[in-house]
Amino acid sequence: MNVHDLPTPSLLVDADAFAHNVATMAEARPGAQLRPHVKAFKSTALARRLDAAGHHGFCAATPKEVLGMAAAGLGHDLLLANEVVDPGPLRAMAAADARVTVAVDSDATVDAAAAAGIREVLVDVDVGCFRCGCPTADAGRLASRARRLGLEVRGVMGYEGHLMMEPGETRADRVEEAMALLLGAHADVGGDVVSGGGTGTFRENTWITELQAGSYALMDTAYGGQGLPFQQALFLWLTVVSVSPGGWAVANGGLKALGMDHGDPTAEGYRVLYCSDEHVTLLPLGDGGLPKVGDRVRVVPAHVDPTVAYHEVLHVVQGEDVVDTWPVDLRGW
Amino acid sequence: MNVHDLPTPSLLVDADAFAHNVATMAEARPGAQLRPHVKAFKSTALARRLDAAGHHGFCAATPKEVLGMAAAGLGHDLLLANEVVDPGPLRAMAAADARVTVAVDSDATVDAAAAAGIREVLVDVDVGCFRCGCPTADAGRLASRARRLGLEVRGVMGYEGHLMMEPGETRADRVEEAMALLLGAHADVGGDVVSGGGTGTFRENTWITELQAGSYALMDTAYGGQGLPFQQALFLWLTVVSVSPGGWAVANGGLKALGMDHGDPTAEGYRVLYCSDEHVTLLPLGDGGLPKVGDRVRVVPAHVDPTVAYHEVLHVVQGEDVVDTWPVDLRGW
């Protein structure tokens, strides 16, 4: 199929850019040094490509992602890098045909994991992100509690999410400070695993045993401005449905096709005036002129994760050829 | 089922607030004076309640919404209030067991509708929103073209979306100016229908024959600040998964459960520090103190439409009882 025959709005994955990103990261963080984070793409078909590139352990943000990966036969080593207290999803993960490790950061999450039959945990440590994670000083106590309850404590994790967009000149120092908290906890907890990091700190975070990165595979404009060696591989493919003599054009995808927390998307040759539910209004830049009704335009999302979560499939394209279709099968909770 | 037994994150609909909203709007805009816009809730189960309240014609933003409404037996009078040029969805709508009217604003959209077998159209007029719609002066010509091609032209539509959050003191005047453009076009186009408006202008827009409103049914914080007589009926229901001695709590829903273009959600008793993919970080206000891990919290979305589009179901609650579950069956395209 030709890309112009796809329905719109659709998400496109540029096969060559994706392959470049996978290869670039696999060179920097080969094999088990990378634990790809499926939350960024929510697709077992995409995850299978990363598995083929040598990364057999994966990271997830929701029980649904863990269960979907297990059902797809990708359950070699799944980490739920998030806290869960509800017994239902914990029991389902414990029963999955997979090696499942969950993050814990409190008595309540340790006890819930143990009660549900979870076998392995990581102690999640607060490294400055104002999100989950126990204080460094509490990590050893939690690990002891977990071990008393029969849980295997594999080590620690800590996500320096607040440093993903940190300016380059201070990033390494601030990552070192954050990881000092994690390593301090690790000294008390023990275990083989020190898990953390993300696409934005994949070079600077040399303190961990495994990197939790997902955005690098498809990328977005937020990470695109960070000077990373990854290429934009994800595009929203739209049809121009209205052109005004006033000088703007409107394409048929908007707030329900794009994560908007990082702001408007971008579009080559246009300034994005604004997005509404099912539209993006485009102003031509320079001498580009207006498109015609029926023309297709490619829009670059500002934030990959909540963009993909709106879509049912990713269409993989090479030039104008649609070469594959990957279901976004890990959506929801 | 008790609301505390629901999985999280989930969307809740407060049955009493919803009933209040439906009754309030039905009194202001009875029967065919309201054409509820399904894009705001994407649920045929919810639409059925509005049909029962006397509104038998509906408005949609996507072909999928039109086709889903038709399949649900709610196809008495469906308006696709949006332009489509792709022949596939146009042909599917033409073949649906429903009365389907589509918006047109250009030669290309008129021709595409006629070629696909669409029988009825409205001429969409630009009333100042920087989105779709032809200039007033072009509306009569487009109507003639449509009639020459065998299309029934039912009238005009024009959405004053730019005035939904207009300050109260200027709203009526600016709506009148916008609707003057629409009425000017109507004089040239003819037909019985003058369609426009939304929840934000439901009082001021006295110029139209039918109001296109959907947000009023569930509401959000953006409309909640507009002094409208509708109550907040939609909530994101979350579980607290982490509490920090630093003074914040984290609940298990974020950017993939909430439309973020209008900014962060709100939560009673808390300040929202920020949202990430699957989390919201909450700071307690006043003397409220921190919640406990496992507590549930209700978060109010800033923008209803792109919030609902992330979810598979709406759980209808009365007090603590879950009294119904409405599938969000009109998602996607």
Side-chain angles (χ1 to χ4, degrees), chain A residues 260-303:
Chain A
M260 292 295 293
D261 60 297
H262 285 356
D264 283 331
T266 59
E268 203 180 336
Y270 301 97
R271 180 162 83 82
V272 171
L273 185 64
Y274 77 110
C275 291
S276 47
D277 280 331
E278 301 287 0
H279 299 106
V280 55
T281 298
L282 302 167
L283 305 177
L285 288 173
D287 301 329
L290 284 164
K292 293 191 304 296
V293 173
D295 283 356
R296 301 290 176 102
V297 291
R298 275 193 345 181
V299 165
V300 186
H303 193 179

Side-chain angles (χ1 to χ4, degrees), chain B:
Chain B
M1 186 190 273
N2 187 283
V3 70
H4 286 87
D5 297 325
L6 284 174
T8 56
S10 286
L11 281 184
L12 307 183
V13 174
D14 182 297
D16 296 336
F18 172 73
H20 165 87
N21 295 345
V22 172
T24 301
M25 183 63 96
E27 194 179 327
R29 301 270 177 171
Q33 292 178 43
L34 181 74
R35 186 186 281 282
H37 209 319
V38 303
K39 81 180 175 76
F41 45 79
K42 283 185 171 285
S43 165
T44 57
L46 193 159
R48 211 174 290 287
R49 273 67 184 178
L50 305 185
D51 183 69
H55 316 295
H56 310 309
F58 288 89
C59 205
T62 67
K64 173 106 178 241
E65 291 169 0
V66 169
L67 297 171
M69 289 290 285
L74 292 163
H76 172 72
D77 183 0
L78 299 173
L79 167 62
L80 182 70
N82 197 357
E83 277 63 27
V84 178
V85 284
D86 288 349
L90 283 170
R91 280 197 295 258
M93 289 189 291
D97 182 18
R99 181 180 187 182
V100 175
T101 303
V102 304
V104 292
D105 71 351
S106 63
D107 290 358
T109 47
V110 168
D111 296 358
I118 294 289
R119 291 169 294 279
E120 298 182 279
V121 297
L122 287 186
V123 177
D124 187 3
V125 179
D126 173 18
V127 297
C129 183
F130 287 96
R131 216 165 69 188
C132 302
C134 70
T136 295
D138 201 33
R141 188 192 67 76
L142 281 175
S144 299
R145 184 184 185 98
R147 290 188 174 111
R148 274 202 311 278
L149 291 171
L151 291 161
E152 174 75 23
V153 181
R154 294 182 65 189
V156 294
M157 65 158 274
Y159 178 54
E160 72 279 23
H162 56 302
L163 302 180
M164 291 300 135
M165 306 289 162
E166 177 75 10
E169 55 269 26
T170 49
R171 197 180 299 172
D173 286 348
R174 293 206 60 199
V175 169
E176 183 173 357
E177 288 166 20
M179 291 300 105
L181 296 171
L182 185 59
L183 295 174
H186 185 233
D188 293 341
V189 168
D192 296 332
V193 177
V194 181
S195 192
T199 294
T201 60
F202 92 103
R203 282 184 293 223
E204 292 81 5
N205 197 329
T206 55
W207 315 94
I208 48 182
T209 61
E210 58 175 44
L211 183 86
Q212 300 180 1
S215 300
Y216 78 97
L218 299 177
M219 290 293 285
D220 53 34
T221 62
Y223 276 126
Q226 298 297 309
L228 301 168
F230 308 113
Q231 300 173 1
Q232 187 60 40
L234 183 73
F235 301 91
L236 182 65
W237 185 234
L238 301 177
T239 301
V240 174
V241 294
S242 184
V243 177
S244 170
W248 67 88
V250 182
N252 65 342
L255 304 179
K256 291 170 179 167
L258 291 162
M260 292 296 292
D261 61 297
H262 285 354
D264 283 330
T266 60
E268 203 180 335
Y270 301 98
R271 181 163 81 83
V272 171
L273 186 62
Y274 76 111
C275 292
S276 47
D277 279 331
E278 301 287 359
H279 300 105
V280 55
T281 297
L282 302 168
L283 305 177
L285 289 174
D287 301 329
L290 284 164
K292 295 193 302 297
V293 173
D295 283 356
R296 301 291 176 103
V297 291
R298 274 194 345 182
V299 165
V300 186
H303 193 178
V304 52
D305 315 60
T307 295
V308 172
Y310 271 130
H311 294 261
E312 291 179 9
V313 294
L314 300 165
H315 299 283
V316 186
V317 296
Q318 201 143 30
E320 293 211 342
D321 294 331
V322 181
V323 296
D324 210 346
T325 301
W326 295 340
V328 185
D329 52 349
L330 302 176
R331 303 198 299 164
W333 300 277

Side-chain angles (χ1 to χ4, degrees), chain A residues 110 265 309 312:
Chain A
V110 167
E312 292 180 7

